[in-house]
Amino acid sequence: MSHDTSLINKQRQDLSTFESVWLFGYGSLIYKVDFPYIERKPATISGWSRRFWQGSHDHRGTPESPGRVLTLIETPGETCTGMAYRVSPAVFEHLDHREKNGYLRFFTPMQFQDGSQEDGLVYIASSDNAAFLGEAPLDEIATHIAKSRGPSGDNSEYLLKLSDGLRQLGVKDPHVEGIRYHLEMLQAT
Ligand code: SIN
Protein backbone atom coordinates (compact mmCIF):
# COMPACT_ATOMS: atom_id res chain seq x y z
CA MET A 1 0.00 0.00 0.00
CA SER A 2 1.29 3.48 -0.84
CA HIS A 3 2.33 5.79 2.00
CA ASP A 4 -0.25 8.40 1.03
CA THR A 5 -3.74 7.16 1.88
CA SER A 6 -5.59 10.47 1.30
CA LEU A 7 -6.91 9.52 -2.14
CA ILE A 8 -8.03 6.09 -0.96
CA ASN A 9 -9.86 7.69 1.98
CA LYS A 10 -11.72 10.10 -0.28
CA GLN A 11 -13.18 7.10 -2.11
CA ARG A 12 -13.92 4.96 0.96
CA GLN A 13 -17.11 6.59 2.22
CA ASP A 14 -19.36 9.02 0.40
CA LEU A 15 -20.04 11.62 3.09
CA SER A 16 -21.80 14.09 0.76
CA THR A 17 -25.29 13.20 1.99
CA PHE A 18 -24.36 13.69 5.69
CA GLU A 19 -25.16 16.97 7.44
CA SER A 20 -22.54 16.14 10.08
CA VAL A 21 -20.28 13.19 10.85
CA TRP A 22 -18.80 11.99 14.15
CA LEU A 23 -15.02 11.58 14.27
CA PHE A 24 -13.33 9.50 17.00
CA GLY A 25 -9.84 10.73 18.01
CA TYR A 26 -7.50 8.61 20.14
CA GLY A 27 -4.07 10.14 19.41
CA SER A 28 -3.02 13.58 18.24
CA LEU A 29 -6.66 14.28 17.40
CA ILE A 30 -7.24 14.54 21.17
CA TYR A 31 -4.81 17.41 21.77
CA LYS A 32 -4.24 19.05 18.37
CA VAL A 33 -7.63 20.30 17.25
CA ASP A 34 -6.79 22.25 14.08
CA PHE A 35 -10.26 21.85 12.56
CA PRO A 36 -13.69 23.30 13.27
CA TYR A 37 -16.21 21.16 15.11
CA ILE A 38 -19.88 21.51 16.06
CA GLU A 39 -19.60 19.72 19.40
CA ARG A 40 -17.22 17.36 21.15
CA LYS A 41 -17.43 14.90 24.02
CA PRO A 42 -15.46 11.95 25.37
CA ALA A 43 -16.34 8.58 23.86
CA THR A 44 -15.20 4.97 24.12
CA ILE A 45 -14.83 2.28 21.48
CA SER A 46 -14.64 -1.45 22.20
CA GLY A 47 -12.20 -4.07 20.96
CA TRP A 48 -9.27 -1.71 20.26
CA SER A 49 -6.20 -0.45 22.10
CA ARG A 50 -3.75 2.40 21.43
CA ARG A 51 -0.22 1.40 20.42
CA PHE A 52 2.84 3.42 19.34
CA TRP A 53 3.38 1.00 16.48
CA GLN A 54 2.95 3.32 13.48
CA GLY A 55 5.84 5.08 11.78
CA SER A 56 5.55 8.81 11.13
CA HIS A 57 7.29 10.09 8.01
CA ASP A 58 5.50 13.41 7.75
CA HIS A 59 4.78 14.76 11.26
CA ARG A 60 7.08 13.40 13.98
CA GLY A 61 9.83 11.93 11.82
CA THR A 62 11.04 11.77 8.24
CA PRO A 63 11.02 9.00 5.59
CA GLU A 64 14.69 8.33 6.41
CA SER A 65 14.15 8.41 10.16
CA PRO A 66 10.47 7.78 10.99
CA GLY A 67 9.05 8.73 14.38
CA ARG A 68 6.62 6.55 16.34
CA VAL A 69 2.97 7.53 16.62
CA LEU A 70 -0.26 5.85 17.56
CA THR A 71 -2.50 3.47 15.76
CA LEU A 72 -5.23 1.16 17.05
CA ILE A 73 -4.70 -2.58 17.33
CA GLU A 74 -7.62 -4.97 17.51
CA THR A 75 -7.76 -6.28 21.11
CA PRO A 76 -10.89 -8.22 22.05
CA GLY A 77 -12.18 -7.27 25.50
CA GLU A 78 -10.28 -3.95 25.64
CA THR A 79 -11.79 -0.48 25.39
CA CYS A 80 -10.22 2.75 24.17
CA THR A 81 -11.42 6.14 25.41
CA GLY A 82 -10.81 9.25 23.33
CA MET A 83 -12.55 12.39 22.14
CA ALA A 84 -15.43 12.43 19.65
CA TYR A 85 -16.06 15.48 17.48
CA ARG A 86 -19.16 16.16 15.41
CA VAL A 87 -17.87 17.86 12.26
CA SER A 88 -19.05 18.96 8.86
CA PRO A 89 -18.19 16.39 6.13
CA ALA A 90 -15.98 19.05 4.49
CA VAL A 91 -13.54 18.76 7.43
CA PHE A 92 -12.44 15.34 6.15
CA GLU A 93 -10.61 17.06 3.30
CA HIS A 94 -8.20 18.45 5.90
CA LEU A 95 -8.21 15.34 8.09
CA ASP A 96 -7.46 13.00 5.17
CA HIS A 97 -4.41 15.10 4.36
CA ARG A 98 -3.29 15.24 8.00
CA GLU A 99 -3.69 11.47 8.48
CA LYS A 100 -2.35 10.51 5.03
CA ASN A 101 0.67 8.51 6.24
CA GLY A 102 -0.95 5.08 6.23
CA TYR A 103 -4.25 5.72 8.01
CA LEU A 104 -7.57 4.53 6.58
CA ARG A 105 -10.91 5.65 7.94
CA PHE A 106 -13.44 3.15 9.26
CA PHE A 107 -16.90 3.57 10.79
CA THR A 108 -17.08 2.24 14.34
CA PRO A 109 -19.73 2.34 17.08
CA MET A 110 -18.84 4.83 19.85
CA GLN A 111 -20.29 4.88 23.33
CA PHE A 112 -20.80 8.21 25.13
CA GLN A 113 -20.69 8.68 28.90
CA ASP A 114 -24.49 9.08 29.09
CA GLY A 115 -24.89 5.58 27.61
CA SER A 116 -25.93 6.76 24.14
CA GLN A 117 -24.20 5.44 21.03
CA GLU A 118 -23.33 6.79 17.56
CA ASP A 119 -21.23 5.56 14.67
CA GLY A 120 -18.10 7.61 14.10
CA LEU A 121 -15.16 7.60 11.71
CA VAL A 122 -11.80 6.61 13.12
CA TYR A 123 -8.38 6.70 11.39
CA ILE A 124 -6.52 3.39 11.77
CA ALA A 125 -3.10 2.49 10.34
CA SER A 126 -3.25 -1.27 9.89
CA SER A 127 -0.24 -3.58 9.91
CA ASP A 128 -0.15 -3.83 6.09
CA ASN A 129 0.59 -0.13 5.57
CA ALA A 130 4.08 0.74 4.38
CA ALA A 131 4.90 2.93 7.40
CA PHE A 132 3.89 0.35 10.04
CA LEU A 133 6.70 -0.40 12.53
CA GLY A 134 5.00 -2.86 14.85
CA GLU A 135 5.58 -4.00 18.39
CA ALA A 136 8.68 -3.21 20.47
CA PRO A 137 9.49 -3.12 24.20
CA LEU A 138 8.28 0.08 25.92
CA ASP A 139 11.81 1.27 26.77
CA GLU A 140 12.87 0.87 23.12
CA ILE A 141 9.81 2.81 21.96
CA ALA A 142 10.72 5.57 24.44
CA THR A 143 14.31 5.70 23.16
CA HIS A 144 13.04 5.87 19.58
CA ILE A 145 10.61 8.70 20.47
CA ALA A 146 13.30 10.60 22.39
CA LYS A 147 15.51 10.90 19.30
CA SER A 148 12.85 11.52 16.64
CA ARG A 149 11.57 14.77 15.25
CA GLY A 150 9.76 15.86 12.10
CA PRO A 151 7.94 18.81 10.48
CA SER A 152 5.32 18.90 13.28
CA GLY A 153 7.96 18.94 16.02
CA ASP A 154 9.54 16.59 18.55
CA ASN A 155 8.13 13.08 18.76
CA SER A 156 8.31 13.40 22.57
CA GLU A 157 5.89 16.34 22.38
CA TYR A 158 3.32 14.02 20.72
CA LEU A 159 3.67 11.52 23.56
CA LEU A 160 3.58 14.06 26.40
CA LYS A 161 0.68 16.12 25.04
CA LEU A 162 -1.29 12.93 24.38
CA SER A 163 -0.61 11.60 27.87
CA ASP A 164 -1.64 14.98 29.38
CA GLY A 165 -4.80 15.01 27.23
CA LEU A 166 -5.69 11.49 28.36
CA ARG A 167 -5.11 12.39 32.01
CA GLN A 168 -7.49 15.34 31.56
CA LEU A 169 -10.06 12.83 30.32
CA GLY A 170 -9.41 10.72 33.43
CA VAL A 171 -7.72 8.00 31.35
CA LYS A 172 -4.48 6.32 32.40
CA ASP A 173 -3.46 4.18 29.45
CA PRO A 174 -0.80 1.68 30.65
CA HIS A 175 0.93 1.56 27.24
CA VAL A 176 1.16 5.36 26.99
CA GLU A 177 2.08 5.86 30.66
CA GLY A 178 4.71 3.10 30.47
CA ILE A 179 6.44 4.79 27.54
CA ARG A 180 6.17 8.18 29.28
CA TYR A 181 7.86 6.72 32.36
CA HIS A 182 10.82 5.51 30.26
CA LEU A 183 11.01 8.78 28.34
CA GLU A 184 11.14 10.81 31.56
CA MET A 185 13.87 8.51 32.89
CA LEU A 186 15.90 9.18 29.72
CA GLN A 187 15.29 12.92 29.96
CA ALA A 188 16.44 12.94 33.60
CA THR A 189 19.83 11.39 32.77
C1 SIN B 1 -6.05 9.97 16.03
O1 SIN B 1 -5.54 10.80 16.76
O2 SIN B 1 -7.24 9.60 16.23
C2 SIN B 1 -5.33 9.37 14.86
C3 SIN B 1 -3.88 9.20 15.05
C4 SIN B 1 -3.11 10.49 15.22
O3 SIN B 1 -3.28 11.42 14.43
O4 SIN B 1 -2.31 10.58 16.16
Side-chain angles (χ1 to χ4, degrees):
M1 190 192 293
S2 107
H3 283 197
D4 186 340
T5 47
S6 57
L7 275 178
I8 306 171
N9 274 324
K10 241 185 262 306
Q11 290 154 5
R12 274 174 81 76
Q13 297 104 3
D14 178 14
L15 304 176
S16 61
T17 59
F18 287 73
E19 224 167 82
S20 64
V21 184
W22 281 100
L23 162 74
F24 178 79
Y26 57 89
S28 70
L29 289 171
I30 290 179
Y31 68 82
K32 186 179 176 187
V33 188
D34 59 354
F35 52 89
Y37 61 87
I38 302 157
E39 61 173 314
R40 71 170 167 184
K41 46 187 180 176
T44 298
I45 61 172
S46 297
W48 296 93
S49 45
R50 259 179 281 269
R51 291 290 180 265
F52 272 89
W53 291 4
Q54 173 65 4
S56 176
H57 299 188
D58 56 347
H59 286 298
R60 303 293 178 166
T62 61
E64 298 72 38
S65 189
R68 268 197 183 254
V69 292
L70 286 170
T71 185
L72 290 179
I73 300 295
E74 230 172 331
T75 320
E78 280 293 319
T79 58
C80 175
T81 297
M83 186 62 84
Y85 305 85
R86 192 159 66 84
V87 299
S88 146
V91 167
F92 285 90
E93 187 79 30
H94 166 68
L95 294 173
D96 286 348
H97 179 74
R98 173 173 160 173
E99 304 296 327
K100 67 184 183 310
N101 192 199
Y103 294 86
L104 292 176
R105 36 167 149 104
F106 298 84
F107 270 114
T108 183
M110 309 179 303
Q111 198 88 33
F112 295 116
Q113 282 166 343
D114 65 3
S116 63
Q117 191 169 305
E118 294 274 359
D119 282 346
L121 280 173
V122 58
Y123 284 92
I124 298 177
S126 49
S127 59
D128 60 355
N129 89 86
F132 192 77
L133 293 174
E135 189 169 5
L138 298 188
D139 59 335
E140 280 179 27
I141 294 181
T143 304
H144 186 150
I145 288 174
K147 65 176 173 52
S148 298
R149 96 179 305 277
S152 296
D154 289 345
N155 204 168
S156 56
E157 182 191 46
Y158 178 110
L159 169 67
L160 296 173
K161 285 194 167 173
L162 186 262
S163 159
D164 288 346
L166 287 176
R167 288 178 185 186
Q168 278 162 25
L169 288 175
V171 176
K172 280 216 160 187
D173 183 311
H175 176 79
V176 174
E177 292 305 316
I179 296 168
R180 181 175 184 153
Y181 168 81
H182 287 291
L183 180 80
E184 287 178 341
M185 295 281 278
L186 285 171
Q187 287 175 335
T189 53

